[in-house]
Amino acid sequence: MLKGHLDALVLAALEGGGAHGYAIIEAIRVRSREAFDLPEGTVYPALHRLEKAGLLKSAWVVPEGGRKRRVYELTKKGKDGLAERRAAWARFAGAVEHSLTGRSPWPA
Amino acid sequence: MAGVIDAYLAELDHRLAFDRALRDRVRAEVEDHLREAAAAHPALCVDEAERRAVTRFGAARDVAARFADDIVAGAARRTWLVLAVAAASALLAMRLRRMLLDDAAFDAVPLAAFLDRFAFVAAVVCGVAGFFIWRAMERRGLTDLAHARLPARLAVASLAALVLSIAGGACIAVAQPSVPTLAAFLLEIAMAGWLGLQAFALQRRTGAALKALTS
């Protein structure tokens, strides 16, 4: 079920600034209140795919006394892509809510 | 004795052998990830902490398969684009021949004239069908190696028909040589060569990925 939304979750996790893969997975876990406990290896193909699509950029960073790691950041296209995915999700979630409960999520 | 993370990285190296640049980058990222994940459990013994980190990461074969699917999907997109450009070039060359040569030129080599026209139609039909099937699969997220077979076969059929059409065009151009018809023929050959190289690269990469994932 998460498969189609993984890209959006990754983009949202990077909204606050650049991060490496492990930190992105942690951010997804924390932001979802531990509801999304992904097999961690699924995130790296998504990061590469999003970078290829121009939504992310990345660079190797060597923190002082630390290991070399690849840090990902949202590009302008990535920020726009996140906004589009959020709007699409809001429409989809609203429609499901209305279909299941009969209550409209939108003000009358 | 190699640690759990070292063994995992060795398997990932093997599974990603189809793309050396990707393998080197992914290996470095995954190693950083696994070492950090293992270090997050200081209370556990090293082997157990590494085993947990590796288990949470997922099987090396599954991780490599996701990368392979993305790479094959990207190569397939390029192949469709090249196929469209090659077909447009063949159409342009065909139109030029029709404009520049009289009917007698085509009547002199009837089989070639037949192939020039109808093999091209077959190439377009196979290409368009393959492209729309692939697009429909892509929309449903089915661009993995297993689902790519039918559109790949249609692309190969389209390429084969296009080569036949170009061969027909070549016979006509050679029978009635002129600078424009030979130029059109060379354009077709160049496009078919480009398409062939692209198809070969896609086939080689797909084959290497399948081999690495199933061995």
Side-chain angles (χ1 to χ4, degrees):
Chain A
M1 192 169 180
L2 259 183
K3 197 182 169 196
H5 305 294
L6 181 59
D7 290 1
L9 293 174
V10 169
L11 293 174
L14 284 166
E15 201 179 14
H20 61 293
Y22 186 79
I24 292 167
I25 293 160
E26 282 301 307
I28 291 173
R29 194 177 296 141
V30 169
R31 286 168 72 109
S32 70
R33 296 177 192 159
E34 308 212 351
F36 301 152
D37 202 7
L38 309 163
E40 295 171 356
T42 57
V43 169
Y44 287 90
L47 286 169
H48 284 230
R49 191 172 54 245
L50 289 167
E51 187 177 8
K52 230 173 224 175
L55 298 160
L56 300 180
K57 59 182 178 184
S58 73
W60 288 109
V61 172
V62 186
E64 213 170 306
R67 274 188 306 270
K68 184 176 89 162
R69 56 181 36 153
R70 196 150 192 109
V71 172
Y72 292 85
E73 267 182 79
L74 284 182
T75 59
K76 165 82 173 67
K77 192 176 170 189
K79 287 174 188 165
D80 295 344
L82 176 59
E84 278 168 26
R85 283 167 171 82
R86 275 205 173 113
W89 172 256
R91 282 194 301 275
F92 175 74
V96 172
E97 166 81 9
H98 189 59
S99 301
L100 293 180
T101 65
R103 288 192 299 270
S104 173
W106 302 288
Chain B
M1 200 178 88
V4 177
I5 290 177
D6 292 329
Y8 183 88
L9 292 172
E11 190 189 347
L12 194 60
D13 268 4
H14 168 69
R15 301 283 182 195
L16 289 171
F18 55 86
D19 187 325
R20 193 177 298 175
L22 175 76
R23 181 194 65 188
D24 293 345
R25 179 176 156 180
V26 170
R27 187 191 205 282
E29 282 190 272
V30 172
E31 178 165 17
D32 170 52
H33 179 107
L34 293 175
R35 304 268 178 227
E36 186 163 353
H41 301 287
L44 298 174
C45 72
V46 173
D47 264 8
E48 183 53 30
E50 290 194 354
R51 195 165 293 118
R52 278 200 193 186
V54 161
T55 304
R56 289 193 58 81
F57 202 79
R61 188 183 181 284
D62 296 341
V63 175
R66 283 172 193 270
F67 278 110
D69 289 346
D70 286 345
I71 283 175
V72 170
R77 263 192 291 276
R78 277 195 301 280
T79 303
W80 290 120
L81 179 67
V82 177
L83 187 56
V85 173
S89 305
L91 179 64
L92 178 68
M94 198 189 301
R95 291 287 99 200
L96 274 175
R97 277 192 291 274
R98 289 278 161 192
M99 276 167 52
L100 297 171
L101 301 175
D102 53 32
D103 288 346
F106 295 91
D107 294 342
V109 277
L111 179 62
F114 177 84
L115 283 178
D116 187 30
R117 175 172 289 183
F118 292 102
F120 177 79
V121 172
V124 170
V125 169
C126 290
V128 168
F131 176 75
F132 281 106
I133 291 171
W134 179 75
R135 283 286 291 165
M137 287 177 167
E138 195 181 41
R139 282 203 194 98
R140 293 164 61 192
L142 301 174
T143 52
D144 54 277
L145 290 169
H147 287 92
R149 284 204 179 114
L150 176 61
R153 280 178 187 154
L154 284 166
V156 168
S158 179
L159 171 62
L162 203 54
V163 168
L164 274 180
S165 168
I166 291 170
C171 291
I172 299 166
V174 169
Q176 295 279 324
S178 71
V179 172
T181 54
L182 288 174
F185 167 57
L186 288 176
L187 172 73
E188 282 183 300
I189 291 291
M191 288 299 131
W194 184 30
L195 177 59
L197 284 175
Q198 183 66 36
F200 175 70
L202 175 64
Q203 189 270 339
R204 201 180 57 167
R205 185 161 265 196
T206 307
L210 275 173
K211 193 176 161 197
L213 292 173
T214 53
S215 63

